[in-house]
Amino acid sequence: MGPSWVAGAVAAGPATMASVVTAGAAFGYQLLWIVVLSAVLGALAQYLAMRLGLFTEGGIVSVVERHLGPSWAWILVVDAVLAASLAQLVIMKGLADVSAAATGIDARVWGVAWAVVLAAGLAGRGYRFVETAAKLLVSAVVLAFLASLLVVPIDPAAAASGLVPRIPAGVDGALVAAGVLGGAVHITLVTMHSYTMRSRGWTTADYGLATFDVGLSMLGAFGAFSVAIFLVAAGVLHDPTIAANELTAVAAAQTLGPLVGPHAKWLFLLGLWGAAVSTLGGNTVVPPFLVADKLGWETDIEDGRYRAALVAVALLSAAGAFVGGSFFPLLVLVLAFGLVGTPFVLVVVLYLLNSEAVPESNSTLANVGGVALLVVAVTTAGSFVREQIASGLADPTTLFVVAFSLFVGTATIALVGRYLRERFAGSGAAVEA
């Protein structure tokens, strides 16, 4: 196993923690069904990306360029690199803040130190370093949060009632639910999967193992991660008067101390630290993978250009520790960018999986699941963009988010239109014949 654990490491990060903690703290056990559904949809997204990677045996950017054209390939690169780069800075800020909270050493010192460690590890060992670290860290993080359940009181009956689908508190509940779902279905997770499988050397002969890899890492480990954090927050931190943006993941860890003892606090803080480390490592490889594939470089450290790109992304991420403001509100911007870009890459994957790019087209069931994923992604992205617009367009950052959403949204609609035209044209030619 391996490639899906890298995606799982990125998914099981601070952004997912923040949305799941908020869901449990603000609404109790009511949104447990959303947390479970997020793991299912996340696994489905990775399964579709896995099929594309195995059947084409190429990186997603080169496959798009071959079958859709260079313009679409560039749109994909810009979309994914912008989302991953912004996430890189905010995740580093989160990791530095958590490290500072645990040790008392200045967060900026931690940011520089983590960037150097990351660059040295990736330049020296490349993908295998990322995969090994992801397996170890994700396993440890899941165990940390499962262990925290042993020292936190949980109401089994109330938790079971949370498996009944419902959205509490109107718009606020819908936004939190959308954030939980968005953490599992993200553009970086989908785009990176074809490259990690190539780095692992998997082909169609490994289809069964690759499917098991997706199931265990995304459905199993990521699902356990999300459910354990949610149950801790719902069981101890639930306060019906709390606003959806008042509790951060770091504050949740610190709050657990006086409520249920220092063991729960340190287990939770350790889990948050591990989640930030694993996410940062996995996210670092995404921009170099995409850029190298588009420019015709090899996507392993034997190519000096690719290695230099890895080191550059790792070192530049240190700047995140110097970004002002609170870590949690910055996650909104990261989710906005990532989620806005996700529908486009889902359409790309579904388009290619139903074209001559693959020897075996998607089944009806896989297509239905893919369309459901697309609907979730569009709904989630729309919620965040509407929130940005509602805050006012005077802020340059908000204007940039809105402009980016218009660019990617237009590209998504155009690609859907192209597929429908080709599909109906093909059907018409077959009828005439």
Side-chain angles (χ1 to χ4, degrees):
M1 295 183 295
S4 285
W5 287 87
V6 181
V10 176
T16 297
M17 280 194 68
S19 60
V20 172
V21 164
T22 301
F27 305 111
Y29 296 103
Q30 295 181 70
L31 290 175
L32 178 57
W33 69 277
I34 283 284
V35 177
V36 174
L37 181 61
S38 72
V40 174
L41 293 180
L44 177 58
Q46 292 310 115
Y47 172 75
L48 293 173
M50 176 213 80
R51 283 178 55 83
L52 181 64
L54 286 184
F55 284 145
T56 61
E57 296 187 2
I60 189 171
V61 172
S62 58
V63 172
V64 167
E65 183 156 20
R66 214 163 37 240
H67 295 278
L68 298 178
S71 297
W72 292 106
W74 274 118
I75 292 173
L76 178 60
V77 170
V78 171
D79 184 7
V81 168
L82 277 176
S85 298
L86 180 62
Q88 187 78 3
L89 294 175
V90 178
I91 293 166
M92 177 59 87
K93 177 174 175 57
L95 176 57
D97 287 353
V98 172
S99 299
T103 65
I105 299 174
D106 190 279
R108 291 167 294 185
V109 174
W110 274 115
V112 174
W114 278 117
V116 172
V117 169
L118 188 63
L122 291 175
R125 297 189 59 193
Y127 168 76
R128 297 299 300 199
F129 170 76
V130 173
E131 183 186 292
T132 302
K135 290 176 183 176
L136 293 174
L137 284 168
V138 171
S139 299
V141 165
V142 171
L143 289 174
F145 287 122
L146 290 177
S148 70
L149 291 178
L150 300 177
V151 291
V152 170
I154 303 298
D155 186 340
S161 69
L163 293 172
V164 179
R166 62 186 181 277
I167 300 292
V171 175
D172 286 342
L175 287 174
V176 172
V180 173
L181 287 170
V185 183
H186 198 272
I187 183 171
T188 55
L189 307 181
V190 177
T191 53
M192 75 188 303
H193 207 43
S194 60
Y195 299 103
T196 53
M197 286 193 299
R198 288 181 69 200
S199 297
R200 194 68 160 83
W202 281 3
T203 65
T204 51
D206 301 293
Y207 192 94
L209 178 57
T211 304
F212 181 74
D213 187 39
V214 169
L216 188 60
S217 62
M218 288 299 295
L219 194 59
F222 175 74
F225 165 90
S226 301
V227 170
I229 296 170
F230 176 83
L231 291 177
V232 168
V236 182
L237 304 176
H238 175 45
D239 180 357
T241 65
I242 194 171
N245 63 348
E246 286 184 358
L247 185 63
T248 72
V250 175
Q254 294 171 334
T255 303
L256 287 174
L259 291 177
V260 290
H263 294 300
K265 169 189 173 181
W266 284 107
L267 280 169
F268 203 86
L269 195 60
L270 176 64
L272 173 57
W273 175 84
V277 172
S278 65
T279 302
L280 190 67
N283 191 80
T284 303
V285 303
V286 176
F289 270 149
L290 296 167
V291 172
D293 194 18
K294 184 67 186 72
L295 297 179
W297 305 346
E298 294 297 324
T299 53
D300 61 60
I301 58 173
E302 299 303 319
D303 190 319
R305 296 166 297 183
Y306 172 76
R307 178 184 289 187
L310 274 178
V311 171
V313 173
L315 293 178
L316 288 173
S317 64
F322 294 83
V323 173
S326 175
F327 166 52
F328 184 75
L330 291 173
L331 289 174
V332 175
L333 184 60
V334 171
L335 288 174
F337 257 85
L339 292 171
V340 164
T342 298
F344 176 73
V345 74
L346 289 177
V347 170
V348 167
V349 170
L350 288 170
Y351 188 124
L352 293 172
L353 285 174
N354 287 279
S355 72
E356 72 282 355
V358 296
E360 179 184 323
S361 294
N362 258 358
S363 65
T364 300
L365 183 61
N367 280 331
V368 169
V371 171
L373 267 176
L374 183 60
V375 170
V376 170
V378 169
T379 303
T380 306
S383 297
F384 278 108
V385 172
R386 283 196 300 273
E387 185 180 355
Q388 292 288 311
I389 294 175
S391 67
L393 297 178
D395 184 1
T397 302
T398 302
L399 284 173
F400 187 57
V401 171
V402 173
F404 180 69
S405 67
L406 289 173
F407 167 71
V408 179
T410 301
T412 303
I413 294 171
L415 188 56
V416 171
R418 170 174 168 165
Y419 175 77
L420 292 176
R421 286 195 305 272
E422 291 179 355
R423 190 65 180 261
F424 285 125
S427 299
V431 170
E432 291 177 4

